[in-house]
Amino acid sequence: MKRLLALVLLTLLALTSTAASAARGLKFAEEMRGYAYWDGEYRNASVSLKVTIQDIDKWSVDPNYPATVTGTLFMDRVPAQPISGTLQILAPAPNDDGRLLTYRFTSATLQFNGIKHVRDSAGVEVFDDMTTLHGMFQPKGQTPPSILELLYQALWTSELHFEWWDPTTVWNFTMSFQTINTPWYEVLEVEAIFVVTVFGALAHTLFPWLC
Amino acid sequence: MSKPVEQRRRLVGALGAIAASGCLPSTASAATKRQALARSLSQMAAEYDVVVIGSGYGGAVMAARLAPGRRLAVLERGREWPPADFPSSMIDVLGQFRGALTPFGLFDYRLGQTMDVLVGSGLGGTSLINANVVAEADRDAFNAWPTKIRQDVANGVFAGYEARVKQMLAADQVIETDALRKHWFHRSTTLARTRQGVATRSVPMPIAVNLRKYNNVPNAQGVKQPPCSRCGDCVTGCRTGAKNTLDVNYLPLARAGGAEIFTRIEVDWLEHLPDGRWRVHTITRPDGITSVHGEVIAGSVVLAAGTLGSTQVLLRSRAQGLAVSPTLGTRFSGNGDLIALGYNTSVQTNVMGFGTSAPLSGEAQVGPTITIGADYRAQQPLAQRYLIEDAAVPRALVDAVRLALPLSAGIFTDFPAAQRVARDLLYSRTDGALNHSMVYLGIGHDSASGRIQLDAWGNAQVVWPNVMQEPFVARLKAEMERHALVFGGRYVDYPRTSPIFGGALTSVHPLGGCPMGEQGDGGVVNADGQVFDARVGGVAVYSNLRVVDGSIAPASIGVNPLLTIAALAERAAEHFA
């Protein structure tokens, strides 16, 4: 009996230490729809993304921490293609009082660079700022537009929206959240870190059931 | 014209024009300083070898080609327009509608029962306020023209005149790397229509705009020109000075050749003198309002005052006894023009001109007003061919249009579309419905069965009772609607076309009134523009009285007509004896 108790304790200890050594993370899915300028014309386009924040604690204190992005790009008259890349969530916008969500991803043939610009003064339009992605699709390997060009020179040619006015989209989004390497008793904390970091004071309005 | 009536006409005209969204003017600040071309009226002589009446595409070309070796005067009713003088705000634009109190106004907007006409007034004529599209007419569009013209077209001689004009106007075209959204958008919807099985193709339009050729250096005629700023305000006058208007090419050439150019002098009527010369009866307004009548003697007259202007002068002259063809005033064509919008699509199109103001955030450039066309001319009978070109809303009209369109477009239930409309009602921004729209200028073929006649005040007006039933109207509307639908937009009439505002068409390319014909019973002028002498009949002409402008086109041309008119003038100049 003593031996059995010791074995259980050792097992628990090992499990706890494993959980403590691996960073806590979070992943979620995001779908956006809109239009893209590609190969000489505007096309209806959408992306289905899986965003993984491998270390939510690092991410919450480092605005330049890149989350990883994988998913699928759909564009009219272009075969659906897998994409992968990064997402910086809410890094400060250069020369601006707002923040940026910067998406960069590539497929086998193309690349995308884009931003969501969340203005500090957006007021109720923060919903649109948080959900409107402006960027540029290019053949892979071309020089991408800089953040400044996207932000101030309106060089973006494509616009994708997370359709926050569509209940299904919002439901799918909120139900997609999953923690990584997180003990059950820290799940809510990790989700809260995400929501509070991303939405700040608006979190209570947007997703009260998560806070 | 009585003051109240005139004021009312101007007001209605102005409102109609504002409603018109993309076709009219506005603009802004100081640009290139240019040497004045016009002389003081006090320097005008009593006699000239040649008097050219008007300075548009007919008059400017004739003056440039005829001036060397002749004592030649150009008489222009409007004023000279340095780029910085063009109107920039809506108030400025409203003040530039030509009328009894504003005889030197830039915009000559003539209201009609069923058809309005807009042309430019000033040195350079309509080139000051058009989109400067230099497009060749289909060769079979000349089928209804006199034999000599048809022969020149068939044997390539006419193409030589066109080439000469293109070179003078330094036509260029927008390219992919200019990255103009409205250009891309129109190409995209055209490609979509092609995929849907419609016989159309996307064609970049050649335009007389200095897109990149001269960068603040003198052009071929020595006029310093900056490049286009992509501000979208071509049709309210280019305050940048980048448009290749006639006052930077043909008119400086005319002046260099010895032409004496006078502005603010209007021609009332022409009197044929017993010695064969012409007494040109003029009106000047030293104080800007009061009319002072005068005259100048001309060995030869070139009437190039535009479709309404030239027809008006001949109608007035006929009333004074000049024997001209009974066909005077007939064959008026609006060139199948139809203006409309594809409103509130899902794509940001950047059609809101910003003139010399800073562009709104999110809209770095608009582009020249017209850059590209959807071409429906292949494999169709002539009468069924048409073009749909892109356009833009000039800065001066942006606010009026963005606020007015939600009223006529109806309610949008789709959330993003409704949100864009709400933004337009609340803000002047680039993410509203207007900046997700496309302004269309459709050009087709009509039956040229309109008529120009003088109203009670002696001014030309267009009468065309059934013009709305012309087949091109429904054809163009239907296709514009399908273009708009490609990205979820809605077809919206140009306000003046809506029954609420009178249900009239607006032409920015008026043609006819002094149509060419083989002889006097079938036309007003012959192939060289010489006016048939109705006293004699047949092919007899007043050899020294010519009409050379859009009024001599006997039918619609089917494309923006400036190239055809200017080429006709090159031809007439070559045949001048």
Side-chain angles (χ1 to χ4, degrees), chain A residues 37 40 42 77 125 128 156, chain B residues 176 181 187-188 419 429:
Chain A
Y37 185 72
Y42 287 111
R77 297 175 302 286
E125 290 189 302
D128 293 316
W156 55 270
Chain B
E176 173 70 12
R181 285 171 177 272
R187 183 171 62 204
S188 303
Q419 190 184 33
R429 295 196 333 207

Side-chain angles (χ1 to χ4, degrees), chain B residues 97-160:
Chain B
F97 279 84
R98 190 172 182 275
L101 299 177
T102 50
F104 309 126
L106 179 61
F107 309 108
D108 186 358
Y109 194 97
R110 310 268 181 121
L111 275 175
Q113 287 290 323
T114 57
M115 174 163 278
D116 298 348
V117 171
L118 171 68
V119 293
S121 181
L123 190 63
T126 297
S127 77
L128 300 173
I129 63 159
N130 67 0
N132 300 72
V133 175
V134 187
E136 288 176 13
D138 285 340
R139 301 294 93 167
D140 52 357
F142 296 98
N143 285 351
W145 294 43
T147 307
K148 287 180 179 174
I149 302 280
R150 293 204 308 273
Q151 286 170 345
D152 278 0
V153 169
N155 60 24
V157 172
F158 198 79

Side-chain angles (χ1 to χ4, degrees), chain B residues 228-422:
Chain B
C228 173
S229 63
R230 274 70 166 167
C231 75
D233 271 16
C234 299
V235 294
T236 38
C238 178
R239 287 173 66 87
T240 303
K243 274 193 1 175
N244 300 334
T245 47
L246 292 164
D247 54 348
V248 302
N249 39 63
Y250 276 106
L251 289 169
L253 185 64
R255 183 184 154 112
E260 297 177 17
I261 299 172
F262 301 97
T263 57
R264 304 173 190 247
I265 179 166
E266 187 176 352
V267 170
D268 191 4
W269 62 286
L270 304 173
E271 180 183 358
H272 198 207
L273 299 176
D275 64 2
R277 295 184 302 166
W278 295 87
R279 178 176 287 126
V280 179
H281 292 265
T282 62
I283 299 171
T284 54
R285 295 178 177 85
D287 62 358
I289 297 175
T290 313
S291 299
V292 175
H293 292 267
E295 60 183 49
V296 58
I297 303 299
S300 190
V301 170
V302 175
L303 190 49
T307 288
L308 296 186
S310 291
T311 307
Q312 178 175 291
V313 169
L314 282 187
L315 285 168
R316 288 177 179 176
S317 302
R318 183 169 71 180
Q320 297 285 347
L322 183 67
V324 293
S325 164
T327 62
L328 179 63
T330 64
R331 307 255 191 94
F332 175 84
S333 164
N335 205 29
D337 282 0
L338 183 77
I339 303 159
L341 282 101
Y343 182 61
N344 200 5
T345 73
S346 60
V347 177
Q348 182 171 319
T349 50
N350 286 1
V351 294
M352 293 170 23
F354 54 83
T356 47
S357 307
L360 292 169
S361 173
E363 183 188 62
Q365 53 179 9
V366 174
T369 297
I370 291 176
T371 68
I372 192 169
D375 190 338
Y376 297 79
R377 292 181 294 168
Q379 302 166 347
Q380 295 288 339
L382 184 67
Q384 294 176 26
R385 296 178 199 164
Y386 56 96
L387 276 168
I388 297 177
E389 297 169 350
D390 67 328
V393 183
R395 173 70 195 98
L397 301 182
V398 162
D399 287 337
V401 173
R402 77 177 166 81
L403 292 170
L405 282 177
L407 300 174
S408 54
I411 293 171
F412 288 83
T413 53
D414 172 48
F415 180 83
Q419 190 184 33
R420 287 191 293 268
V421 171

Side-chain angles (χ1 to χ4, degrees), chain A residues 138-160:
Chain A
Q138 297 171 292
K140 205 169 177 179
Q142 284 196 354
T143 306
S146 68
I147 296 293
L148 287 171
E149 286 173 329
L150 289 172
L151 194 54
Y152 299 114
Q153 294 178 33
L155 281 192
W156 55 270
T157 57
S158 303
E159 183 176 87
L160 298 168

Side-chain angles (χ1 to χ4, degrees), chain A residues 2 9-10 19 38 42 48-49 56 61 63 77 81 121 134 136 148 175 182 186 197 200 202 209:
Chain A
K2 280 184 182 176
L9 284 171
L10 281 171
W38 176 251
Y42 287 111
S48 178
L49 302 177
I56 193 124
V61 296
R77 297 175 302 286
Q81 45 197 307
S121 58
H134 288 144
M136 186 185 286
L148 287 171
M175 291 298 105
T182 305
E186 292 179 4
T197 305
L202 275 173
W209 58 92

Side-chain angles (χ1 to χ4, degrees), chain A residues 40-162:
Chain A
E41 62 179 308
Y42 287 111
R43 300 154 190 263
N44 293 313
S46 65
V47 288
S48 178
L49 302 177
K50 286 187 169 56
V51 181
T52 304
I53 302 171
Q54 206 64 52
D55 188 335
I56 193 124
D57 297 295
K58 269 191 187 170
W59 169 76
S60 66
V61 296
D62 177 6
N64 291 313
Y65 180 93
T68 59
V69 169
T70 58
T72 309
L73 168 68
F74 304 92
M75 207 186 278
D76 281 355
R77 297 175 302 286
V78 175
Q81 45 197 307
I83 51 177
S84 61
T86 61
L87 163 60
Q88 283 175 277
I89 304 175
L90 294 178
N95 307 332
D96 189 83
D97 60 356
R99 287 174 171 270
L100 299 179
L101 289 88
T102 306
Y103 291 71
R104 297 184 177 93
F105 55 75
T106 60
S107 73
T109 57
L110 58 76
Q111 64 190 32
F112 175 82
N113 289 271
I115 55 171
K116 293 176 180 172
H117 181 207
V118 186
R119 297 161 294 153
D120 288 347
S121 58
V124 293
E125 290 189 302
V126 73
F127 291 86
D128 293 316
D129 285 5
M130 289 289 297
T131 55
T132 304
L133 176 61
H134 288 144
M136 186 185 286
F137 286 94
Q138 297 171 292
K140 205 169 177 179
Q142 284 196 354
T143 306
S146 68
I147 296 293
L148 287 171
E149 286 173 329
L150 289 172
L151 194 54
Y152 299 114
Q153 294 178 33
L155 281 192
W156 55 270
T157 57
S158 303
E159 183 176 87
L160 298 168
H161 292 278
F162 172 81

